[in-house]
Amino acid sequence: MTQSTSSEWIARSLRSVWHPCTQMQHHEEVPLIAVSHGKGPWLYDYDGKRYLDGISSWWVNLFGHANPRINAALKDQLDKLEHAMLAGFTHAPVVELAERLSKLTGHALGHATFASDGASAVEIAMKMSFHAWRNAGKPAKQEFVCLQGSYHGETIGALSVTDVPLFKDAYGPLLRASHVVSAPDARNAGEGETAQDVARRAILEVKELFEQRGDNIAAIIVEPLVQCATGMAMYDPLYLKLLRDLCDQHHVHLIADEIAVGCGRTGTFFACEQASIWPDFMCLSKGISGGYLPLSLVLTRDDIYQAFYSEDITRGFLHSHSYTGNPLACRAALATLDIFEEDDVLNRNRELATKMTIALAPLAEHERARHFRQRGMIFAFDAIEPDKDRASTFSRRFFSTAVENELLLRPIGRTVYLMPPYVLDDEDVAGLAARTIKTFESVIAA
């Protein structure tokens, strides 16, 4: 642990670490960044260079790196309890977190089941849905439905309800087939159509499927309001409302994957709030711990919990993880919720989103950009790159150019998106927008 330069750490990492979501050979052209420390919205490497974290380190960091309030809570918790098994035991952080999250849903949801990462939460929701139907005497209900372009994680169950070929195709023989229905992506609006028209058109396909296969379908899973990994596809809340009605009519569970879109990202704490509905299962992760520690959970309705409540152990939900409900992760989440309450974050974010939208206005009107869109603290646009070869390398070229401009942005294909921490000041907003515009213009002109 004596090396102190970025190049030395990078060389060691390339020899020993298999980096996620990466074709490792690409690092022959696109160097790694060796992060030394972070402060607020900035990350710093070992050579003293800094990078504005415009994507919250994969959408997890809400209140800046090395946040002093979350740090203080974790330091306090370290002196009390680092971990204890949650089977047969409990502790204050896990109880308080479950209670507070249930309260945020108006107690429509509760009975929190804890895990470590988003894909694990999706696995829990899927298994729990199937098992609840079996306990209810409906074992035929074992099929799942997802939206076109959906992404719900890369474990086997979660990948089976993911519709991104790049992640899924290689593992097709391992996966259970799911139904895929059209997404209500507002970019699909025809001439004269609104986002609500697209939502109504897309829901008809779900209605037809439920009428045909409802007796066999356990659940449909959606990312509420924004399908992130497919390219920040945004849609109208009306779709969720209509979907909730269909699920009720046909006795199909609704799983809301709020892993990326929860915790204020879309403007409300839970994205589902904007449709005035609650799902049967809600999956949370990423920002729930403020970006500090791996934590995920599933909230569900009381009737589903009651379907498992029995003297018969085989009717119980026996899914578990060694670090389930880790006290440190839960304490970080409690500190994160404290900040939301004490700093009136959701209202502040509305002001911040307006400033960001104004600062990014040149991109909304740029001749090489289309579909500029915004939902809460998520901003995106699609680059027009006519040359196919250049289009295939757009993301890597953009990332490298952004790094040169002290900016961390990682496009999804040709979709450039910003999902920054909630702690930007006016100087940060102006800098983030200016660097994004400069990077985009450099990439399309090269």
Side-chain angles (χ1 to χ4, degrees):
M1 301 290 286
T2 59
Q3 280 79 3
S4 59
T5 66
S6 288
S7 60
E8 290 169 322
W9 281 114
I10 291 169
R12 289 175 66 179
S13 188
L14 290 174
R15 287 195 299 268
S16 60
V17 179
W18 199 333
H19 291 267
C21 201
T22 298
Q23 169 50 263
M24 291 298 292
Q25 191 182 61
H26 289 167
H27 282 306
E28 293 179 6
E29 300 176 2
V30 181
L32 287 169
I33 298 171
V35 177
S36 167
H37 63 283
K39 184 66 175 177
W42 295 93
L43 292 169
Y44 298 82
D45 68 18
Y46 283 86
D47 297 330
K49 298 177 183 177
R50 66 176 191 168
Y51 310 91
L52 185 58
D53 190 352
I55 58 173
S56 299
S57 289
W58 254 350
W59 322 342
V60 302
N61 187 281
L62 301 189
F63 298 117
H65 299 281
N67 184 285
R69 290 149 78 179
I70 302 176
N71 286 358
L74 284 173
K75 290 173 183 176
D76 178 71
Q77 185 62 41
L78 274 171
D79 289 330
K80 294 179 178 178
L81 178 66
E82 82 299 339
H83 184 65
M85 63 185 292
L86 204 60
F89 290 82
T90 194
H91 50 78
V94 76
V95 173
E96 292 174 4
L97 180 57
E99 290 175 341
R100 289 177 66 175
L101 288 172
S102 179
K103 184 178 180 180
L104 287 173
T105 72
H107 301 292
L109 302 175
H111 305 292
T113 303
F114 287 84
S116 58
D117 59 272
S120 294
V122 170
E123 297 278 348
I124 287 170
M126 293 176 67
K127 288 175 63 177
M128 199 177 280
S129 173
F130 161 76
H131 200 164
W133 287 122
R134 190 182 75 171
N135 284 354
K138 298 181 179 180
K141 292 176 76 66
Q142 54 183 259
E143 299 174 6
F144 291 89
V145 185
C146 64
L147 301 186
Q148 184 180 22
S150 60
Y151 174 91
H152 299 289
E154 294 167 43
T155 51
I156 296 300
L159 200 57
S160 71
V161 288
T162 286
D163 186 51
V164 180
L166 179 64
F167 298 117
K168 185 173 183 177
D169 284 359
Y171 309 102
L174 302 178
L175 306 178
R176 183 184 176 98
S178 295
H179 302 282
V180 180
V181 294
S182 296
D185 185 349
R187 290 174 296 180
N188 294 331
E191 185 175 354
E193 275 194 317
T194 66
Q196 287 200 345
D197 292 329
V198 177
R200 291 189 183 94
R201 177 155 44 85
I203 206 69
L204 292 177
E205 192 171 328
V206 182
K207 182 176 184 293
E208 182 179 354
L209 176 63
F210 281 9
E211 289 173 348
Q212 295 174 354
R213 301 293 301 171
D215 290 342
N216 301 94
I217 294 172
I220 182 170
I221 182 169
V222 299
E223 300 161 87
L225 302 185
V226 186
Q227 293 182 265
C228 295
T230 195
M232 301 300 160
M234 301 183 185
Y235 60 90
D236 194 273
L238 176 64
Y239 183 82
L240 295 175
K241 184 174 179 60
L242 297 175
L243 182 60
R244 176 72 271 180
D245 291 342
L246 279 178
C247 287
D248 290 340
Q249 292 169 25
H250 294 275
H251 305 289
V252 172
H253 289 149
L254 174 56
I255 302 173
D257 175 354
E258 295 227 8
I259 291 161
V261 299
C263 303
R265 282 293 180 195
T266 65
T268 47
F269 191 85
F270 300 115
C272 284
E273 294 179 70
Q274 296 180 47
S276 299
I277 64 104
W278 294 112
D280 300 291
F281 303 91
M282 180 181 287
C283 303
L284 296 173
S285 190
K286 290 192 181 291
I288 191 62
S289 72
Y292 267 70
L293 289 165
L295 177 66
S296 66
L297 58 96
V298 179
L299 299 173
T300 192
R301 294 180 180 272
D302 187 63
D303 61 330
I304 292 172
Y305 175 79
Q306 292 299 329
F308 292 88
Y309 202 81
S310 170
E311 291 183 357
D312 184 354
I313 191 170
T314 65
R315 291 177 62 88
F317 190 68
L318 305 183
H319 188 107
S320 63
H321 293 266
S322 298
Y323 283 92
T324 293
N326 175 260
L328 288 168
C330 291
R331 187 68 186 276
L334 288 169
T336 298
L337 295 182
D338 288 342
I339 295 174
F340 268 102
E341 292 181 8
E342 295 166 6
D343 292 5
D344 195 18
V345 170
L346 295 177
N347 281 327
R348 182 185 182 279
N349 277 1
R350 293 185 184 100
E351 299 175 1
L352 187 56
T354 298
K355 293 177 180 179
M356 281 291 302
T357 301
I358 292 172
L360 293 168
L363 291 170
E365 303 166 359
H366 202 288
E367 62 180 7
R368 292 286 296 276
R370 63 178 177 179
H371 298 306
F372 181 87
R373 52 201 181 275
Q374 174 262 332
R375 172 74 68 174
M377 285 294 291
I378 304 174
F379 312 83
F381 66 92
D382 303 322
I384 299 174
E385 187 63 274
D387 184 89
K388 289 185 177 180
D389 290 335
R390 285 176 55 81
S392 68
T393 62
F394 176 83
S395 178
R396 296 205 303 276
R397 290 185 289 116
F398 191 100
F399 173 82
S400 297
T401 305
V403 166
E404 294 172 2
N405 289 317
E406 294 188 330
L407 183 61
L408 172 55
L409 287 182
R410 185 183 168 103
I412 301 170
R414 290 180 291 108
T415 296
V416 179
Y417 73 92
L418 296 84
M419 201 185 290
Y422 305 158
V423 294
L424 303 183
D425 59 24
D426 288 349
E427 183 178 349
D428 294 328
V429 169
L432 177 55
R435 288 179 170 88
T436 302
I437 295 168
K438 180 180 178 181
T439 299
F440 180 62
E441 291 181 339
S442 296
V443 171
I444 61 175

